[in-house]
Amino acid sequence: MPYKTIIGLEIHSELLTDSKIFCDCSTEFGGDVNTHTCPVCLGLPGALPVLNKKVVEYGIKAGLAFNCEISERTKMDRKNYFYPDLVKGYQISQYDMPLCQNGYVEIETEDGVKKIRLRRIHIEEDTGKSIHSEDGGSLLDYNRSGVPLIEIVTEPDMNSPEEAKLFLEKLKSILQYIEVSDCKMEEGSLRCDVNINIVDEETGKRSTITELKNLNSFKAAVKAMEYEEERHKKLLEEGKDTRRETRRWDELKNETIVMRVKEEVSDYRYFPEPDIVEMEIDREWVEEIRKELPELPHVKKERFIEQYDLPEYDAEVLTSSKALADFFEETIRYFDDSKQVSNWIMGDISRRLNMENIGIEDVSFTAKDLADLLKLIDEGKISNKIGKKVLRAMFEEGKDPNTIVKEKGLIQISDEGELKKIVDKVLSENQQSVEDYKNGKDRALGFLVGQVMKATRGKANPQLANKLIRESIQ
Amino acid sequence: MDITKLTIHELRDMLRKGEISSEEIVKAYFDRIEETEAKLNSFISLNKEEAIKSAREIDKRLKNGEKLGDLAGIPVAIKDNIVTEGVKTTCGSKILENFVPPYDATVVKKLKDEGAIIVGKTNLDEFAMGSSTENSAYKTTKNPWDLERVPGGSSGGSASAVAAGQVPFALGSETGGSVRQPASFCGVVGLKPTYGLVSRYGLVAFASSLDQIGPFTKDVEDCAIALNSITGYDSKDSTSINREKIDYKEALVNDVKGLKIALPKEYFDDSIDAEVKNKVYEAIKVLEDLGATVEEVSLPHTEYALATYYIIAPSEASSNLARFDGVRYGNRVKDYDSVEDLFVKTRSQGFGEEVKRRIMVGTYALSSGYYDEYYRKAQRVRTLIKQDFEKVFENYDVIISPTTPTTAFKIGEKATDPVSMYLSDILTVSVNMAGICGMSIPCGYANDLPVGLQIIGNAFEEKKVLRVAYTYEQNSNFERKQPKIGE
Ligand SMILES: [Zn+2]
């Protein structure tokens, strides 16, 4: 295979500041249209931007987490273009003096650790949103106008869609860890544009770069990149080339579709924003921010392996999201069998989260609730199987496990006398199976235990039931 | 007694003594406006009902013995590129014909808080682009001294209104001389404060790095009073400077002994009208006789100032005016095929010729491939111009020159020749480029038209400028006249 894929990414991530980048308006998602607005974020004549210090702080935080150099001097610039959702006819962004430069993110590929270099991280404002009405008209909502963003630009260091996915996952996880962005792609708080092309390693011939935009999930991004990889190869093999164009992923057709062909490079006529003075970034401030950085995923993972004696895979999964890692550690505080806690989180809980496409932070029960559940199982008060049932109820009803067990009468029957009565009844009703067991068919025992469990609606202590049946038949 | 001939400080004193009410003052000025406006066209909109209501409130407060500021109950006119909540703000442009801002500019809020009574919004060259007020989409303002002549611009409406006694004071804005030049043409006092001294929040931007709001008044004392009310740090304007508040009335000292005055030779060259120069030299003589030392200096980069200005200002303007696209407010064309079509048609029909010319020039200067050659180079020259002034101010207190090369020119005279129009700002633009302060005060007449004396001070040296202006005003020996309008 002489072809090598070259992928570079541009990621826009909304910052979690309370107010917008240049005014006091709320950044909260949702809200009635055009309610989080003021003269500044509506770009009314005469209104002026004042930079929110928190935005610079969050930008620096991201820069430090991604191993960037933090610029000593930085400024804002105007990027000029006309678009209805752009209120001033220009976006206030950063051009030649970005806040952060020359960083990297390490990803773990099958061939080991790989460094993906970051060219720059800069701060800028988001635009409003067009809403297309059914009668063909357009309505505009400017609640997002002026919400702070960081734009992260990588070097073209990824050589497969898989690497790009690993990078995106790592990036998202770090942004969430340092709590500068919630990275919700469905709410548009994380957006990713891809630049992709391929090079024929024998001849050195390169296909023209395609830009992929409007990718609304990592999955869509990966599919689009895989599609483009093949498309570029096919064209090169035919002796043709790709065009300089922007494409998007069509989920239904399972292919990328041309959005626009770039005939020439757009000229944004960047120039320094005269309404905001050039900034000097205080080194002491940067050091303070550095000190306050939380433990980052890879450090936490090593600690989990060490401290909780977890396999590498478990540690990787548990630290993939800060919320999940925090939940794990919180559970351990109340129930210290780390392997057991890990199994439950990685098993039933993760399955349920994936199914519902939510995060651990969205569930209605607490880490202490999970610990209580595991204690009930550990103490033999309920069986593992009943435990799973209780967990389901915790997801659905949000009650604590002790209440659920009490309300539903799920406490295990471990009283020999009580269980003996039920065993006797089951045996008398299933004479054939008793005979079978006597004739050496071991499977019959399983059936009989099952019948006892059924009669007790799962509450019988299975070990005890097993013992009592064997004793009765012999 | 003609109320409309009085200054702010005279009106204030009468109000405080209870010799007159604010309502009487406001009504007298509206009578004067009714009498003269048809000839002058100073205003785009008037605010009579609201003004009289506000005046009555001030009268009530005065009667209750409240201690109010210098401007309480005093009428003021606001240039129509400074936004006023609930009052139409057009910028002299068709594109903002029916635009009613939902908020007050910081200076407007300050004036209101002090109790000043806003009587109306004054005419200007569209988006403050021009030197004659002929570029307004609505009307051409006349010079009260000669109705066939321009009042200067772009704040021509404000200058004309003060000169004709339609208001005791007004606010204008400067980007390249738009307060000083019309002040000079109309024979009133006009000040361009240091960049950052007065908040730009609510001033519709022409060229953000140059724009500054300034007052028009009848005398220097009034100028200090007006300046006191509009200066001060504003957290809504990042370029506003956070420094200790100064009382500019302290600068009203009748003494220039020992002050060093610089006369830049480039500002007295042959392109300047001889009569204008004579009047300025006479004024300088007055100051010299009072003990100031006067020496010639050089501001060597002056010859590049205008060219540099006409790259930087249009560049910023091309971006600042991009927001007028017909989408959110202002006029929008009715028929269009697409969003692009909507933009193009709205802007083509909404903007006048001069505005379009500057948008084109600015767009060109910022384009890739030209940016380094024009915009970046212009910024470098701007630094050199600034350094010229810094060097002079190392050794001198103020710089004095004529404000304009000629007295007011005739309506239509330069309207078809942009370059000759631009030349009327040749003595004022450098001050904006350097971000320092400058003032124009009347210093006599040439052919019955007012001549302006320009006093330039270093950044935040308004006090020195006011002191020199005040001393000159107290000791000037030319016979003061009034424009004959309405008499
Ligand atoms: Zn806002």
Side-chain angles (χ1 to χ4, degrees):
Chain A
M1 256 255 300
Y3 292 114
K4 187 170 152 190
T5 304
I6 302 167
I7 297 169
L9 302 175
E10 268 179 44
I11 297 101
H12 289 91
S13 176
E14 272 180 10
L15 299 179
L16 281 171
T17 54
D18 293 334
S19 56
K20 292 186 177 181
I21 183 166
F22 300 125
C23 60
D24 295 333
C25 291
S26 165
T27 54
E28 212 180 310
F29 184 76
D32 285 343
V33 291
N34 294 316
T35 51
H36 299 166
T37 56
C38 73
V40 176
C41 56
L42 287 175
L44 290 189
L48 295 172
V50 175
L51 184 58
N52 180 347
K53 193 175 174 189
K54 229 22 206 197
V55 172
V56 182
E57 184 189 318
Y58 280 23
I60 293 172
K61 226 174 173 180
L64 292 173
F66 294 125
N67 312 296
C68 291
E69 297 157 13
I70 310 300
S71 302
E72 298 201 357
R73 289 194 76 79
T74 186
K75 68 175 167 67
M76 305 306 294
D77 298 278
R78 289 190 186 176
K79 179 181 181 179
N80 295 284
Y81 64 98
F82 286 98
Y83 209 68
D85 60 13
L86 186 67
V87 292
K88 299 184 292 294
Y90 56 84
Q91 180 192 30
I92 305 178
S93 179
Q94 296 194 286
Y95 183 51
D96 53 353
M97 290 165 69
L99 183 58
C100 317
Q101 293 184 80
N102 304 327
Y104 64 86
V105 171
E106 284 180 337
I107 56 170
E108 273 150 59
T109 68
E110 280 169 9
D111 308 327
V113 173
K114 180 171 177 180
K115 255 187 198 180
I116 308 296
R117 290 168 303 154
L118 301 185
R119 189 176 299 165
R120 57 186 282 159
I121 301 177
H122 73 243
I123 51 176
E124 62 183 26
E125 58 179 332
D126 207 346
T127 62
K129 207 173 86 186
S130 302
I131 305 161
H132 299 285
S133 64
E134 281 170 15
D135 62 1
S138 284
L139 299 166
L140 289 150
D141 177 9
Y142 293 111
N143 282 353
R144 306 312 294 157
S145 173
V147 165
L149 299 174
I150 45 174
E151 181 178 318
I152 302 166
V153 184
T154 76
E155 296 291 347
D157 284 353
M158 286 148 280
N159 299 110
S160 69
E162 179 58 27
E163 282 185 14
K165 185 178 153 229
L166 287 171
F167 170 81
L168 284 169
E169 281 168 349
K170 194 62 177 280
L171 182 100
K172 177 176 165 177
S173 150
I174 292 175
L175 287 173
Q176 287 175 333
Y177 261 80
I178 59 175
E179 292 171 336
V180 301
S181 175
D182 59 13
C183 298
K184 290 184 178 162
M185 275 187 113
E186 65 279 10
E187 289 180 8
S189 68
L190 185 76
R191 304 192 282 268
C192 162
D193 300 337
V194 178
N195 283 314
I196 183 168
N197 68 337
I198 60 167
V199 56
D200 183 333
E201 291 198 290
E202 273 167 20
T203 63
K205 189 171 167 30
R206 285 164 182 267
S207 60
T208 302
I209 294 173
T210 299
E211 190 183 12
L212 297 170
K213 271 187 183 285
N214 289 12
L215 304 164
N216 52 20
S217 67
F218 286 177
K219 222 156 113 193
V222 170
K223 280 193 197 162
M225 285 185 266
E226 284 169 352
Y227 183 88
E228 281 303 302
E229 232 179 356
E230 287 312 308
R231 194 176 67 86
H232 281 235
K233 270 181 207 164
K234 206 162 150 255
L235 284 166
L236 276 199
E237 272 163 9
E238 288 169 9
K240 296 178 193 157
D241 190 10
T242 43
R243 287 183 299 179
R244 203 183 151 77
E245 61 191 9
T246 303
R247 299 171 79 95
R248 66 176 176 85
W249 177 246
D250 189 311
E251 198 66 54
L252 296 173
K253 291 185 181 156
N254 237 1
E255 60 184 38
T256 63
I257 292 187
V258 182
M259 286 168 76
R260 59 176 176 268
V261 181
K262 286 190 176 173
E263 263 142 34
E264 51 194 71
V265 189
S266 347
D267 185 356
Y268 291 117
R269 304 189 310 280
Y270 280 101
F271 75 102
E273 167 57 275
D275 288 329
I276 297 171
V277 289
E278 218 173 274
M279 288 163 274
E280 213 167 293
I281 305 293
D282 181 13
R283 294 297 102 183
E284 275 176 36
W285 189 37
V286 173
E287 288 318 306
E288 260 168 51
I289 298 170
R290 193 195 300 277
K291 262 186 241 147
E292 284 164 17
L293 275 185
E295 183 182 38
L296 293 173
H298 61 282
V299 181
K300 199 183 280 281
K301 180 184 150 189
E302 292 308 316
R303 180 169 65 81
F304 272 27
I305 294 172
E306 184 95 348
Q307 187 176 342
Y308 301 116
D309 200 20
L310 293 175
E312 181 168 353
Y313 178 74
D314 289 28
E316 173 80 31
V317 174
L318 288 173
T319 56
S320 65
S321 122
K322 180 165 187 292
L324 201 61
D326 287 348
F327 192 87
F328 171 78
E329 290 208 280
E330 179 75 3
T331 311
I332 297 282
R333 277 183 52 204
Y334 301 102
F335 183 75
D336 65 3
D337 185 342
S338 56
K339 188 62 199 152
Q340 200 63 294
V341 174
S342 167
N343 283 346
W344 276 77
I345 292 180
M346 300 204 15
D348 283 64
I349 292 178
S350 286
R351 252 196 304 283
R352 178 91 186 209
L353 295 176
N354 287 338
M355 202 173 71
E356 293 185 24
N357 200 15
I358 54 172
I360 193 74
E361 61 278 19
D362 302 317
V363 303
S364 48
F365 60 87
T366 63
K368 183 170 182 302
D369 291 337
L370 175 62
D372 286 346
L373 173 65
L374 298 186
K375 262 187 235 164
L376 285 171
I377 298 167
D378 193 53
E379 289 161 3
K381 288 191 179 142
I382 59 172
S383 67
N384 216 49
K385 203 167 160 197
I386 291 283
K388 290 179 182 211
K389 204 165 158 186
V390 174
L391 181 68
R392 270 202 299 281
M394 283 159 69
F395 265 105
E396 281 149 24
E397 296 163 25
K399 289 178 188 160
D400 70 89
N402 284 311
T403 309
I404 293 167
V405 162
K406 210 175 288 166
E407 280 180 5
K408 296 190 194 294
L410 295 174
I411 290 290
Q412 193 156 266
I413 303 169
S414 300
D415 181 273
E416 259 197 69
E418 194 184 336
L419 197 56
K420 184 76 174 65
K421 282 181 216 152
I422 299 164
V423 166
D424 289 346
K425 190 162 175 282
V426 165
L427 294 184
S428 69
E429 284 167 3
N430 292 282
Q431 284 302 321
Q432 185 57 48
S433 298
V434 173
E435 286 308 310
D436 288 351
Y437 181 65
K438 281 182 178 162
N439 294 335
K441 284 188 186 167
D442 283 350
R443 262 192 319 152
L445 179 62
F447 173 77
L448 290 168
V449 173
Q451 290 304 304
V452 172
M453 296 308 285
K454 197 174 163 192
T456 57
R457 298 207 323 277
K459 289 189 292 180
N461 180 329
Q463 283 83 32
L464 188 58
N466 194 301
K467 182 181 147 234
L468 291 174
I469 292 169
R470 271 187 288 151
E471 282 172 5
S472 299
I473 295 175
Q474 273 160 9
Chain B
M1 177 197 55
D2 184 351
I3 292 170
T4 65
K5 288 203 165 74
L6 301 178
T7 59
I8 298 172
H9 52 96
E10 287 163 344
L11 291 167
R12 174 203 61 196
D13 293 345
M14 289 173 73
L15 271 169
R16 284 185 181 169
K17 284 184 207 144
E19 294 168 5
I20 197 169
S21 71
S22 173
E23 186 177 346
E24 283 172 279
I25 294 174
V26 170
K27 282 181 170 164
Y29 277 98
F30 271 104
D31 287 347
R32 175 73 178 162
I33 290 169
E34 258 160 53
E35 181 186 20
T36 53
E37 181 58 10
K39 290 178 192 160
L40 288 176
N41 288 335
S42 308
F43 288 89
I44 289 180
S45 54
L46 288 162
N47 193 31
K48 189 169 177 179
E49 240 172 81
E50 203 44 45
I52 290 173
K53 220 173 89 189
S54 306
R56 285 182 185 146
E57 269 162 40
I58 293 294
D59 286 334
K60 218 180 281 165
R61 291 171 63 187
L62 282 170
K63 211 169 266 169
N64 288 342
E66 258 186 75
K67 265 212 171 327
L68 299 176
D70 286 330
L71 295 177
I74 309 290
V76 60
I78 310 283
K79 188 178 182 182
D80 208 25
N81 62 346
I82 298 171
V83 301
T84 38
E85 185 179 344
V87 176
K88 202 171 71 165
T89 300
T90 68
C91 295
S93 180
K94 268 250 174 62
I95 211 159
L96 287 179
E97 200 167 1
N98 300 305
F99 175 62
V100 179
Y103 74 106
D104 273 331
T106 297
V107 289
V108 171
K109 202 174 167 298
K110 279 175 177 280
L111 288 177
K112 282 185 179 171
D113 288 349
E114 268 221 47
I117 314 287
I118 295 169
V119 301
K121 306 293 295 284
T122 57
N123 196 23
L124 68 157
D125 287 299
E126 186 176 1
F127 287 106
M129 296 179 185
S131 311
S132 68
T133 318
E134 290 165 288
N135 292 337
S136 166
Y138 300 101
K139 48 180 76 169
T140 297
T141 300
K142 314 286 171 57
N143 189 318
W145 295 87
D146 179 348
L147 296 177
E148 286 180 8
R149 291 180 186 269
V150 301
S154 63
S155 315
S158 289
S160 159
V162 174
Q166 294 180 320
V167 278
F169 82 112
L171 293 189
S173 72
E174 271 225 15
T175 306
S178 284
V179 168
R180 285 164 291 156
Q181 187 253 26
S184 167
F185 280 10
C186 291
V188 295
V189 173
L191 176 87
K192 200 260 353 159
T194 304
Y195 188 79
L197 187 65
V198 179
S199 168
R200 291 185 295 118
Y201 189 74
L203 168 65
V204 180
F206 161 11
S208 316
S209 73
L210 300 162
D211 296 344
Q212 195 67 189
I213 292 167
F216 289 96
T217 56
K218 288 177 181 160
D219 69 7
V220 178
E221 185 172 345
D222 279 7
C223 183
I225 290 170
L227 196 60
N228 272 349
S229 72
I230 59 172
T231 50
Y233 172 67
D234 181 11
S235 60
K236 287 183 172 136
D237 175 1
S238 318
T239 60
S240 122
I241 306 284
N242 197 351
R243 55 200 329 267
E244 216 180 311
K245 181 107 182 152
I246 289 172
D247 179 4
Y248 292 100
K249 284 196 282 186
E250 287 171 5
L252 304 171
V253 178
N254 186 358
D255 176 23
V256 289
K257 239 176 265 114
L259 280 186
K260 292 182 78 181
I261 296 170
L263 308 184
K265 62 174 187 233
E266 294 81 3
Y267 283 52
F268 289 88
D269 73 8
D270 292 342
S271 67
I272 315 298
D273 182 273
E275 267 301 286
V276 167
K277 265 193 280 190
N278 278 341
K279 293 296 154 193
V280 171
Y281 281 131
E282 281 172 23
I284 292 164
K285 182 80 179 27
V286 170
L287 292 167
E288 208 171 8
D289 290 346
L290 290 168
T293 49
V294 178
E295 276 167 20
E296 191 183 85
V297 296
S298 174
L299 294 167
H301 295 92
T302 300
E303 64 173 308
Y304 306 110
L306 204 61
T308 309
Y309 173 83
Y310 276 98
I311 288 168
I312 291 172
S315 294
E316 293 183 10
S318 70
S319 174
N320 282 329
L321 268 58
R323 69 187 66 196
F324 305 107
D325 56 11
V327 172
R328 289 159 300 277
Y329 46 79
N331 277 344
R332 178 197 300 174
V333 289
K334 286 207 177 64
D335 300 311
Y336 50 87
D337 308 326
S338 63
V339 178
E340 275 82 58
D341 197 38
L342 161 74
F343 292 155
V344 171
K345 282 185 179 154
T346 297
R347 291 168 64 81
S348 301
Q349 292 172 28
F351 290 137
E353 284 310 305
E354 183 60 27
V355 170
K356 283 186 210 165
R357 180 162 25 243
R358 297 199 195 189
I359 290 173
M360 292 298 291
V361 168
T363 304
Y364 183 84
L366 290 178
S367 300
S368 76
Y370 298 101
Y371 182 88
D372 287 339
E373 204 176 327
Y374 291 102
Y375 189 77
R376 198 186 293 275
K377 196 178 270 178
Q379 289 293 12
R380 288 208 196 102
V381 178
R382 184 175 179 175
T383 306
L384 295 175
I385 291 170
K386 212 171 167 176
Q387 287 166 355
D388 277 0
F389 281 108
E390 278 164 12
K391 249 178 241 155
V392 170
F393 284 123
E394 277 170 20
N395 297 313
Y396 298 90
D397 295 296
V398 293
I399 293 169
I400 286 186
S401 78
T403 309
T404 55
T406 64
T407 52
F409 47 87
K410 287 218 157 131
I411 291 169
E413 191 182 324
K414 301 187 177 190
T416 54
D417 181 0
V419 175
S420 81
M421 184 75 87
Y422 298 166
L423 282 170
S424 65
D425 295 330
I426 193 151
L427 302 176
T428 46
V429 290
S430 297
V431 166
N432 301 75
M433 303 269 273
I436 56 181
C437 60
M439 187 170 181
S440 180
I441 57 169
C443 67
Y445 308 90
N447 306 319
D448 288 331
L449 291 169
V451 175
L453 177 78
Q454 174 165 239
I455 306 164
I456 298 169
N458 205 355
F460 304 106
E461 295 280 22
E462 278 79 3
K463 270 179 108 168
K464 265 188 195 167
V465 171
L466 284 165
R467 177 175 162 192
V468 173
Y470 185 75
T471 305
Y472 171 70
E473 191 183 61
Q474 296 300 309
N475 298 282
S476 64
N477 44 15
F478 67 93
E479 191 197 334
R480 301 211 171 237
K481 302 178 200 170
Q482 296 283 342
K484 295 277 188 297
I485 177 89
E487 280 165 22

